[in-house]
Amino acid sequence: MPKVFDPPNVMGDESIMSEKEHGTSATPVQQNLRWNVDRDTADRICNYNRHYAEFSGYFETVPKFLDECRQFCHSDEPKLMTFYDSNTGRPLFEAPKDRTWDEFLSESRAHGWPSFRASEVNWDRVRVLSDGETVSLDGTHLGHNLPDQQGDRYCINLVSVAGKAASNEAVEAEHRGVLSPSKPVEFE
């Protein structure tokens, strides 16, 4: 019997990850991903993979990501960082919420991947499959839900959430029904 994760998880079914134009997605990853993450690795993990991940600790080898985290961490006003789908540029996670930057980074280091909690997930765009695989509605493999004593913990590949934000026009067109959620969008 398939596992069901309790709310706030939004369960998805296998059809989300069905074969599409580019692996499990309608579009390849963006050309110029944030933080200069490796595009080939991102494309392989996001679109042609269901179970594997970037190597443990990869995010700690990405200086531009760590620099941005430090800037957010040491600003006068605590800031949230939005993490975008590497294929579509749609927002998937926003962190840290209900914890500090130091706590977010400490937990991520302890587990080897950026680790998000349920309050940091954009449930309008993210689904959890019965085996814990965490995916975007656009068919991007993100990582896995690996619950611990504190609750649901989403270990997410940095290369899967290194997209640049989709343009406001594209997002507004999608809301009006002009663009399908699986169609490529323009990026800012």
Side-chain angles (χ1 to χ4, degrees):
M1 171 166 257
K3 180 170 174 66
V4 175
F5 292 89
D6 293 333
N9 287 284
V10 178
M11 298 300 295
D13 61 50
E14 284 294 320
S15 67
I16 296 169
M17 299 302 283
S18 64
E19 191 70 23
K20 298 177 187 71
E21 291 88 348
H22 192 81
T24 57
S25 179
T27 182
V29 296
Q30 298 171 4
Q31 287 296 323
N32 298 307
L33 294 169
R34 287 168 73 190
W35 312 302
N36 291 334
V37 301
D38 184 75
R39 186 174 187 274
D40 290 337
T41 301
D43 197 46
R44 187 176 64 256
I45 289 174
C46 292
N47 299 311
Y48 295 98
N49 163 61
R50 298 290 307 279
H51 304 288
Y52 300 104
E54 65 201 16
F55 65 84
S56 176
Y58 173 81
F59 78 95
E60 292 191 87
T61 70
V62 181
K64 288 189 176 197
F65 172 69
L66 295 175
D67 289 346
E68 190 172 329
C69 289
R70 279 188 210 97
Q71 289 174 0
F72 279 45
C73 185
H74 298 296
S75 68
D76 292 337
E77 298 261 337
K79 295 182 181 180
L80 297 175
M81 183 184 297
T82 303
F83 296 80
Y84 300 93
D85 189 313
S86 291
N87 287 319
T88 65
R90 292 186 176 92
L92 302 177
F93 299 90
E94 192 173 61
K97 290 183 179 175
D98 305 320
R99 57 185 172 162
T100 67
W101 268 106
D102 287 334
E103 291 167 333
F104 172 80
L105 290 171
S106 176
E107 181 174 41
S108 296
R109 284 185 183 105
H111 298 290
W113 289 269
S115 295
F116 298 91
R117 294 296 175 167
S119 65
E120 298 167 328
V121 180
N122 177 354
W123 292 112
D124 291 337
R125 305 269 356 128
V126 175
R127 296 293 180 267
V128 177
L129 305 185
S130 63
D131 64 354
E133 183 181 8
T134 304
V135 302
S136 78
L137 281 177
D138 295 300
T140 304
H141 171 81
L142 304 173
H144 288 84
N145 180 10
L146 302 170
D148 63 11
Q149 307 87 327
Q150 297 176 28
D152 291 306
R153 176 175 46 90
Y154 308 89
C155 289
I156 302 300
N157 296 291
L158 184 64
V159 297
S160 298
V161 292
K164 294 185 179 174
S167 72
N168 288 338
E169 287 178 18
V171 172
E172 289 171 15
E174 181 180 329
H175 287 302
R176 291 191 312 268
V178 176
L179 289 176
S180 159
S182 63
K183 298 280 187 202
V185 294
E186 294 178 28
F187 304 98
E188 294 180 330

